[in-house]
Amino acid sequence: MQDTDPAAIFRQEATELVAAIEAGLLDLEKRTDDRALIDAVFRDLHTVKGSGAMFGHAEVAAFVHEFETAFDRIRRGEARVVPSVIAVSLKACDQILNLLTDPKEAVAKSEAILAELAATVGDGGAGTPSDGPSEGMRVTFHLPVDALRLGHNPALLLDELSALAPSSRVRALTEGIPPLDALDPTDCRMGFVVELHGAVDRAAVEGVFLFFDDGLSLAIEPLVEAAAAPSSDPDAAPAEAAPAAKAPAAAPAQGNTPDTMRVATERLDELMDRVGELVIAEARLSALAHQLREPHLMAVAEDIQRLAAGLRDSTMSMRMVPIGSITGRFRRLARDLSDRLGKPIRFETEGEETELDKTVIEILADPLVHIVRNAADHGLEGPDVRRAAGKAEAGTIRLTAEYSGAEVLIRVKDDGRGLDPRKIRARAVERGLIAEDSQLAEADLFRLVLAPGFSTAENVTDLSGRGVGMDVVKRTIDGLRGQIELASEPGHGTTVTLRLPLTLAIIDGLLVEIGGEHYTIPLAAVEECVELPDQFAAGTGSSSFLNIRGALVPFLRLRTLFSVDTPPVAFQKVVVVASGGARVGLVVDRIVANNQTVIKQLSRLHAGLDGFSGATILGDGTVALIVDVPQLVALGRAAGERRAAEGGRAERQWLDRAA
C-alpha cells in the first residue's frame, strides 16, 4: 500500500532539503560572495520552516525560523560568510535532523545552538551595507507566464507587498493581455505597479519574490525618484526602472520541465522482481517456440522478447541513481575530520554523474565513510610533516567514479604518506597471518590490511586504529559481488579502488556450455570470441597463452577449473573477457546464445564457491551459474605470473604489456 502519511512525506522532503542546505553551505565556504548560493540556502530554510508549521512540527518550525532570521543577516549584507558561521550553520543543520527524529530529546539543545548562531553571525562583521528603510518605493513586476499553473497567487503577493508599508496603492498593467480569442486563462499576462508609502525595507521587498527565478521581471525604485519622472500614460508601465533586484528574463518555454513523482523504493523493488519473473517466463516461451517451430508462436515470442527487454531497461533506469547523491556527506565528513584532526583537507570529486543501482548506492555509503576516514586519519600527514616533505600543507582526498564495461570503478585516492610494506609485513607476522619467511608480492601484502582486526596504527583513536574498519568494507563489497584493490607508493599516497556491478538484478549474458552444463558470462565483459587453435585442443594444463592479432592473451580451461571429466568437444571456443584493463580467454565447449539473465543470489551453502557470482534460471527451467569475470581474470593474471616466474619469455612479455 502506498505510504500517504503526511508526516512521513514531510520528514522525507525535509531531510532532502537539509541535505541541499548543507551542500549549499559547503559551497558557500569556498564562494563566500555568491549571492545565488545565499539565496538558495535561504529559500530552502524558508521551505523547511513553512512545511514544518504546516505539518504540525512546531519545534522544527520554531528552530528554523530563528535559523532563517540569523541567516537573513547574511542575505541582507549585514554579516559576512566566515568559517565560524559555516561551522555553526552545519551544526544547526544537524539539529534540524535531530528535531525530526526525536524532538523531545533534541529540543533542549536548540536554544544553545541558536544563541551560538546569533552570536557568530553578529560577530561576522559588517559586510556591504544593505539598503535600509527608505521613504517609499515603487515596485513594478510581471510574474512568469506559468506562475498560475505552478500554484502562485498574485493576490497574495500584492497583500504581502502592501503589508510592508503603512499605506500602498496598486495598479494593474494590462498591455500584455492578448485578445480574448487568443487568451489562455492559465497564462499570467498581467503586470502590477505597487506604490509603497512610508518607511520600506528594500530587502523585505526582494524577499517577497524569493521563490521566483526565470521569467520574473522586477524593478524597484525609490518613490521619490519615480514621482520626479511621471509617465505621460497613467496606465503604462514605468520606463527603464532604476536598480532591479532581478533582471527581466524571457519566460521559460512551456512543456519543457519534466514532471516527477515520488515512488516508494519498495514499489520499485517489487516492480523489478516482477520484471525478473517476466524475463524468465519470456525465456521459457522462446525456448518452447523454437522447439515447436510454429511460425505464429515464434512471432509472438519475438514480440514478447522485445517488449520484455524494453520494460527491463526502463525499470532498471528508474533504479539508477548518480553517485553524486551520496558524495555530499563525504564533503561534510572531510570538513569535520579536518577540524578534529587539525589537518587541512581538500576533498575533491569527479564523475558524480556516474550511475549505480539504488540498492548498491545505499549499501555503498558506509564503506566509503570508512575509507575516507582512514585516508584522513592514517593516510594524510599533519601540516608540519607535509611542509617538511615539500608537499602542500593541505592534504587532498579525491573520490572518482567511472564506467568500465559491466562495472563501475570508484576510487578514493589521497596524497599522504602511503602504505609501508615493511610495517604491514611485520604486523602480519606478529599477528600470525603469514610466516616469517614467506615471500609475498606487494599487492598481496597490501591486501592484508583487509584482514579482520588488522591495523598498523600506533595509537587507537576515536576515529580508527582498532582494525574493525576495512574488514567490514571487504565483507560489504563482497556482498555486492564487487572487489577491492589497493595501490600505494610510500610518500605519495594510497588509492583504494572498488569494482562494483552496475546492477544486482538483470544483465545481458552469454550462455555457454562446458561438459554438458550451461554457464552464463556477463555480456558487457565479453570482448570477442575465437576458436581454440588445434595445437592447444589436446592440452591438459589449466592455462596457457594465445596470440590474438599480435597480443598475448592468457587463457583458462574452464573444463579443468570446474573439474569436468567428460572428453572435450572437437572445436572448442575461447571467450575473451576483460576486467580492470587485463584480458583473459575462457575456453568453453560451445557458445549457445545471448540471453537476458535474472541474477539470483547463491544460497549460503554455495556462497563460498570461487569463480561464480550468482545463478540464473533458463527457459527450460534448469539453473546456470553466472561466471565471476573479475575473479577469473585475476586467476589468469596469477597463472601468468607463475609461468613468468618459471622463466617463460612470452609470459614475461605479456606481463610487461599488461602492466
Side-chain angles (χ1 to χ4, degrees), residues 285-310:
L285 176 62
S286 296
L288 181 62
H290 284 83
Q291 180 181 351
L292 297 178
R293 296 291 178 181
E294 205 286 316
H296 292 88
L297 181 59
M298 293 181 68
V300 172
E302 290 176 359
D303 288 341
I304 296 297
Q305 184 180 33
R306 175 176 51 81
L307 293 172

Side-chain angles (χ1 to χ4, degrees), residues 610-622:
D610 291 334
F612 302 107
S613 59
T616 187
I617 301 174
L618 302 178
D620 60 0
T622 60

Side-chain angles (χ1 to χ4, degrees), residues 363-371 373-374 448-454 466-480 484 498:
I363 298 175
L364 191 61
D366 286 342
L368 285 175
V369 166
H370 279 294
I371 295 171
R373 185 181 292 151
N374 276 352
L448 292 175
V449 304
L450 304 175
F454 189 90
R466 300 183 186 274
V468 292
M470 293 304 293
D471 63 314
V472 175
V473 171
K474 184 178 185 304
R475 284 201 304 271
T476 304
I477 300 304
D478 287 346
L480 292 173
I484 303 179
L498 307 181

Side-chain angles (χ1 to χ4, degrees), residues 258-270:
D259 293 330
T260 60
M261 65 178 296
R262 293 184 182 274
V263 178
T265 303
E266 293 79 7
R267 291 195 166 213
L268 288 179
D269 293 339
E270 182 181 357

Side-chain angles (χ1 to χ4, degrees), residues 458-521:
E458 299 295 339
N459 300 309
V460 175
T461 69
D462 58 345
L463 290 177
S464 55
R466 300 183 186 274
V468 292
M470 293 304 293
D471 63 314
V472 175
V473 171
K474 184 178 185 304
R475 284 201 304 271
T476 304
I477 300 304
D478 287 346
L480 292 173
R481 303 198 319 274
Q483 289 187 322
I484 303 179
E485 298 174 0
L486 292 171
S488 182
E489 183 179 354
H492 295 279
T494 302
T495 302
V496 180
T497 302
L498 307 181
R499 295 185 173 275
L500 298 162
L502 281 172
T503 179
L504 301 177
I506 303 175
I507 60 172
D508 285 320
L510 181 67
L511 191 64
V512 300
E513 182 181 316
I514 304 168
E517 298 289 339
H518 288 113
Y519 299 87
T520 296
I521 302 174

Side-chain angles (χ1 to χ4, degrees), residues 130-423:
S130 63
D131 296 331
S134 62
E135 290 301 318
M137 286 188 178
R138 168 181 276 180
V139 182
T140 305
F141 67 92
H142 286 78
L143 297 180
V145 176
D146 60 351
L148 297 178
R149 287 189 289 272
L150 294 176
H152 296 291
N153 188 341
L156 297 179
L157 293 176
L158 295 173
D159 290 343
E160 194 172 350
L161 282 172
S162 299
L164 297 176
S167 63
S168 62
R169 194 176 91 181
V170 179
R171 178 163 50 89
L173 302 175
T174 59
E175 71 278 1
I177 300 177
L180 189 60
D181 57 352
L183 177 64
D184 184 342
T186 64
D187 285 349
C188 185
R189 298 292 185 181
M190 184 181 295
F192 298 92
V193 176
V194 182
E195 293 183 356
L196 304 174
H197 299 271
V200 183
D201 191 336
R202 180 188 180 92
V205 174
E206 294 175 357
V208 172
F209 300 92
L210 186 65
F211 291 91
F212 294 93
D213 285 315
D214 295 336
L216 172 69
S217 174
L218 173 64
I220 304 173
E221 57 184 342
L223 197 56
V224 175
E225 293 182 13
S231 172
S232 59
D233 184 357
D235 291 326
E240 198 71 27
K246 292 183 182 288
Q254 301 302 310
N256 292 335
T257 303
D259 293 330
T260 60
M261 65 178 296
R262 293 184 182 274
V263 178
T265 303
E266 293 79 7
R267 291 195 166 213
L268 288 179
D269 293 339
E270 182 181 357
L271 178 60
M272 180 58 76
D273 290 341
R274 298 290 177 86
V275 171
E277 295 301 322
L278 175 63
V279 168
I280 293 174
E282 177 272 320
R284 293 176 59 192
L285 176 62
S286 296
L288 181 62
H290 284 83
Q291 180 181 351
L292 297 178
R293 296 291 178 181
E294 205 286 316
H296 292 88
L297 181 59
M298 293 181 68
V300 172
E302 290 176 359
D303 288 341
I304 296 297
Q305 184 180 33
R306 175 176 51 81
L307 293 172
L311 182 59
R312 177 205 65 175
D313 293 341
S314 298
T315 305
M316 289 178 61
S317 68
M318 287 190 289
R319 293 179 54 90
M320 301 302 281
V321 178
I323 194 172
S325 62
I326 61 171
T327 55
R329 71 184 68 183
F330 306 126
R331 295 173 60 199
R332 173 72 185 278
L333 175 65
R335 188 188 188 282
D336 292 346
L337 290 172
S338 177
D339 291 340
R340 294 177 63 181
L341 298 172
K343 301 176 182 178
I345 298 176
R346 184 170 58 248
F347 184 78
E348 301 175 350
T349 59
E350 182 180 342
E352 289 187 294
E353 70 283 354
T354 305
E355 293 185 326
L356 273 168
D357 189 280
K358 179 177 176 62
T359 303
V360 178
I361 287 284
E362 291 173 348
I363 298 175
L364 191 61
D366 286 342
L368 285 175
V369 166
H370 279 294
I371 295 171
V372 172
R373 185 181 292 151
N374 276 352
D377 195 14
H378 296 314
L380 298 180
E381 314 93 331
D384 295 339
V385 177
R386 292 181 65 86
R387 281 195 299 268
K391 296 182 179 181
E393 184 173 309
T396 299
I397 299 176
R398 186 174 181 82
L399 187 151
T400 64
E402 63 177 335
Y403 296 109
S404 177
E407 302 171 318
V408 169
L409 305 185
I410 299 176
R411 295 186 177 92
V412 179
K413 182 177 182 179
D414 66 72
D415 63 349
R417 59 174 60 89
L419 298 175
D420 187 340
R422 291 175 299 178
K423 182 180 291 188

Side-chain angles (χ1 to χ4, degrees), residues 513-517 519 557-568 589:
E513 182 181 316
I514 304 168
E517 298 289 339
Y519 299 87
R557 300 179 189 272
L558 296 187
R559 297 179 58 87
T560 303
L561 289 179
F562 298 164
S563 302
V564 176
D565 297 330
T566 58
D589 289 347

